[in-house]
């Protein structure tokens, strides 16, 4: 009884003061939105709240979710098609996760529809955005751990973020990055298999759509260089010295970037302050040497993440655009030019300053 009462109270708050019995019968409260495009049509997949109990209150032992799909020549038309299939009025203002798929020409356009001009309720600018090859597989995955299936999905993402296997990027940040010439965003990639959802690696997106990938092994280097290291996060860095294994955790990181021009070549200089905690040293290796080795591994991961994004995919996901505008304004216009090689031919200099904690 206490659990049901608590669930009912939380649900009332979730609806923002709406009348539970009346509103749930008339509206479908969307929790997860998936968007992809094939040819000239958008495919929208939705996961929305549906109480799985006879009295209309959420049964916390069940998923309390349902899904629907819609198709149309615009995002709004596809949402309207999904609304017809639910038989209820859609409300997207409580969306907790946005899943982008393939075929989107410029994600900032679709995002603008959702959080600026949506007639179904504006998606929050802070709503997390991820990528999936099959967004409908994510929205069709119903998990029973938690009050809502979407809450369990967000919990899985939180765990992945706290271990450096995923990262947060919001609707507003993606729209801003992809909407600026020469800029790009990177989205964490989510996979859904049966009732399991997991995160691994990421994909780049810009005004040309989604392209190129970054593997999970390089994610923590990207997170550090991008300077989006979250609070309460510990990223494990394994090392080996003369065949002796050890490990340490990066518990905090701060990255400052500057730009300079050297013989006509753009140089990006990154100074990274990292808090490092030794977590495994059963062979009693010299701790200073171990920390130096950890710093070497961090530097390698940062350079690999930079090369994947910038050198191989010509994607500015590290705000190089802004750094150049501040430090080298004389080449800013050239950097923005579509045929410019400044970014792809740039040099990255990395310095790691470690503090043992």
């Amino acid at each position: 009884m206490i659990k049901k009462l608590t669930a009912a109270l939380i649900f009332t708050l979730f609806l923002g003061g709406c009348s539970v019995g009346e509103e749930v019968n008339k509206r479908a409260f969307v929790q997860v939105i998936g968007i992809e495009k094939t040819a000239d049509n958008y495919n929208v997949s939705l996961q929305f709240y549906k109480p799985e109990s006879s009295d209309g209150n959420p049964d916390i032992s069940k998923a309390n979710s349902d899904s629907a799909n819609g198709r149309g020549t615009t995002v709004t038309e596809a949402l309207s098609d999904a609304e017809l299939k639910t038989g209820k009025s859609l409300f997207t203002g409580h969306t907790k996760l946005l899943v982008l798929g393939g075929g989107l020409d410029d994600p900032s356009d679709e995002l603008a529809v959702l959080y600026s001009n949506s007639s179904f309720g504006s998606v929050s600018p802070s709503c997390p955005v991820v990528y999936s090859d099959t967004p409908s597989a994510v929205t069709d995955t119903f998990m029973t751990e938690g009050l809502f299936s979407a809450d369990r999905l967000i919990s899985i993402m939180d765990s992945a973020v706290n271990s450096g296997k995923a990262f947060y990027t919001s609707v507003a940040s993606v729209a801003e990055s992809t909407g600026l010439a020469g800029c790009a965003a990177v989205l964490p990639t989510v996979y859904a298999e049966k009732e399991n959802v997991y995160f691994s690696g990421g994909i780049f997106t810009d005004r040309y759509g989604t392209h190129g990938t970054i593997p999970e092994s390089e994610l923590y280097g990207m997170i550090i260089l991008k300077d989006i290291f979250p609070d309460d996060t510990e990223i494990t860095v394994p090392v080996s010295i003369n065949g002796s294994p050890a490990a340490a955790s990066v518990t905090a990181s701060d990255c400052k970037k500057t730009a300079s021009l050297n013989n006509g070549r753009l140089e990006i200089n990154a100074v990274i302050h990292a808090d490092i905690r030794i977590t495994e040293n059963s062979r009693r290796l010299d701790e200073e040497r171990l920390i130096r080795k950890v710093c070497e591994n961090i530097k390698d991961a940062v350079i690999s993440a930079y090369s994947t994004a910038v050198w191989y995919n010509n994607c500015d996901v590290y705000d190089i655009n802004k750094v150049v505008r501040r430090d080298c304004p004389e080449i800013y216009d050239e950097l923005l030019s579509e045929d410019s090689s400044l970014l792809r031919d740039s040099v990255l200099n990395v310095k790691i300053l470690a503090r043992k904690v």
Side-chain angles (χ1 to χ4, degrees):
M1 178 63 73
I2 293 177
K3 287 185 177 180
K4 285 191 175 183
L5 178 59
T6 302
L9 289 173
I10 294 175
F11 181 57
T12 301
L13 293 173
F14 164 76
L15 292 180
C18 297
S19 172
V20 175
E22 182 177 283
E23 290 296 326
V24 169
N25 289 333
K26 294 181 179 179
R27 309 186 81 175
F29 292 89
V30 177
Q31 304 282 279
V32 183
I33 299 177
I35 301 176
E36 60 184 336
K37 191 177 182 182
T38 56
D40 295 326
N41 285 301
Y42 285 97
N43 299 316
V44 169
S45 53
L46 309 174
Q47 183 179 116
F48 55 91
Y49 172 78
K50 180 183 179 182
E52 296 191 33
S53 61
S54 58
D55 58 5
N57 291 320
D59 181 347
I60 61 175
S61 67
K62 298 180 180 179
N64 294 296
S65 300
D66 203 351
S67 63
N69 297 285
R71 187 177 177 88
T73 56
T74 66
V75 173
T76 302
E77 187 177 304
L79 286 169
S80 297
D81 184 42
E83 183 177 57
L84 287 174
K85 293 175 181 177
T86 66
K88 297 181 179 182
S89 176
L90 291 183
F91 181 69
T92 59
H94 290 316
T95 300
K96 299 180 179 181
L97 186 68
L98 180 60
V99 185
L100 299 184
L104 304 180
D105 298 325
D106 183 348
S108 61
D109 294 336
E110 289 79 18
L111 296 179
V113 172
L114 293 174
Y115 86 93
S116 297
N117 307 308
S118 177
S119 58
F120 301 96
S122 296
V123 173
S124 170
S126 62
C127 178
V129 184
V130 299
Y131 175 84
S132 174
D133 289 331
T134 52
S136 60
V138 179
T139 57
D140 287 342
T141 300
F142 305 136
M143 293 169 283
T144 57
E145 295 183 39
L147 182 57
F148 304 105
S149 181
D151 287 335
R152 175 59 179 157
L153 177 55
I154 295 299
S155 177
I156 292 172
M157 185 175 183
D158 289 342
S159 297
V161 169
N162 290 337
S163 61
K165 295 181 179 180
F167 49 92
Y168 294 118
T169 186
S170 67
V171 168
S173 64
V174 173
E176 178 185 5
S177 296
T178 59
L180 293 174
C183 291
V186 57
L187 308 177
T189 303
V190 61
Y191 298 87
E193 295 179 355
K194 297 181 180 179
E195 292 188 3
N196 298 315
V197 172
Y198 63 94
F199 290 81
S200 180
I203 192 168
F204 304 114
T205 182
D206 55 21
R207 63 186 184 276
Y208 303 112
T210 54
H211 58 92
T213 60
I214 182 167
E216 183 178 308
S217 60
E218 296 179 7
L219 276 190
Y220 84 90
M222 184 214 72
I223 291 168
I224 289 173
L225 184 59
K226 195 170 171 60
D227 201 28
I228 56 171
F229 200 97
D231 295 334
D232 302 319
T233 293
E234 289 196 12
I235 296 177
T236 300
V237 181
V239 297
S240 177
I241 299 177
N242 295 330
S244 298
S249 290
V250 181
T251 60
S253 175
D254 177 71
C255 179
K256 301 299 183 185
K257 294 185 285 290
T258 59
S260 59
L261 199 62
N262 188 357
N263 295 323
R265 196 169 188 181
L266 174 63
E267 292 192 358
I268 302 299
N269 309 294
V271 178
I272 297 166
H273 293 262
D275 289 351
I276 298 175
R277 181 171 62 87
I278 297 173
T279 55
E280 181 183 340
N281 188 15
S282 59
R283 302 290 180 88
R284 299 185 182 278
L285 301 172
D286 179 76
E287 292 191 352
E288 289 188 6
R289 187 181 181 189
L290 199 161
I291 293 293
R292 286 197 299 271
K293 183 61 176 177
V294 170
C295 289
E296 290 177 13
N297 286 11
I298 293 173
K299 182 177 179 178
D300 289 344
V302 166
I303 292 174
S304 292
Y306 186 87
S307 66
T308 297
V310 176
W311 295 335
Y312 299 143
N313 288 286
N314 202 34
C315 284
D316 179 9
V317 300
Y318 301 112
D319 294 326
I320 296 171
N321 185 306
K322 297 178 182 178
V323 176
V324 168
R325 183 173 56 187
R326 181 194 66 202
D327 297 341
C328 304
E330 69 276 12
I331 63 170
Y332 180 68
D333 289 340
E334 182 183 351
L335 181 69
L336 297 185
S337 174
E338 288 190 12
D339 58 356
S340 173
S341 61
L342 274 174
L343 184 65
R344 194 184 294 273
D345 295 338
S346 62
V347 175
L348 175 67
N349 302 311
V350 180
K351 184 176 182 180
I352 310 291
L353 301 176
R355 182 171 74 95
K356 180 185 172 185
V357 294

